[in-house]
Amino acid sequence: MFIYNVTIKVHSSIWEQWLQWLQQEHVPEVLATGCFSEARVLRMLETDDSEGPTFTVQYSAESKAAYNQYIEQHAGLMRQQSFDKWGDKFIAFRSLMQVVN
């Protein structure tokens, strides 16, 4: 099992609308690619929220091949849709992790 983790710092002026969009539109679209079996959204605690909250989205992939398929075929479009809608009101970084137990 692999976890594709996206950590996002969202500007305080949009975070509520952004979270609604994330949960109702973006995550379902990512799951609809068929590359991930599930996703969960988490809010980070004990971080500096002075400019806005930080969230993580963890997508579960059954194999590295499924993750690679997402990156090669879908990630560019999904990222562009985020920038088209929210501009520079968020910062995201991504990491891949393998479940070991």
Side-chain angles (χ1 to χ4, degrees):
M1 173 78 63
F2 292 84
I3 305 295
Y4 176 47
N5 185 81
V6 184
T7 302
I8 313 106
K9 176 91 170 165
V10 185
H11 193 274
S12 57
S13 65
I14 65 157
W15 82 265
E16 291 171 321
Q17 297 90 347
W18 175 88
L19 183 59
Q20 183 177 13
W21 165 82
L22 179 79
Q23 293 175 311
Q24 295 178 1
E25 295 180 41
H26 186 71
V27 169
E29 288 177 357
V30 172
L31 291 175
T33 67
C35 299
F36 302 105
S37 58
E38 65 180 354
R40 62 182 174 179
V41 178
L42 303 99
R43 183 172 179 171
M44 293 184 68
L45 303 177
E46 298 183 354
T47 60
D48 179 6
D49 283 356
S50 61
E51 295 180 13
T54 302
F55 296 89
T56 65
V57 185
Q58 296 181 341
Y59 298 98
S60 299
E62 297 299 320
S63 66
K64 181 87 168 21
Y67 164 79
N68 288 340
Q69 178 182 352
Y70 175 78
I71 295 300
E72 294 167 8
Q73 297 178 10
H74 305 285
L77 176 62
M78 297 296 174
R79 290 177 190 174
Q80 189 59 52
Q81 288 174 341
S82 299
F83 285 113
D84 290 349
K85 184 155 185 75
W86 304 107
D88 64 353
K89 299 284 187 185
F90 72 98
I91 295 174
F93 75 88
R94 296 154 183 88
S95 55
L96 179 65
M97 300 173 283
Q98 184 175 16
V99 176
V100 293
N101 65 347

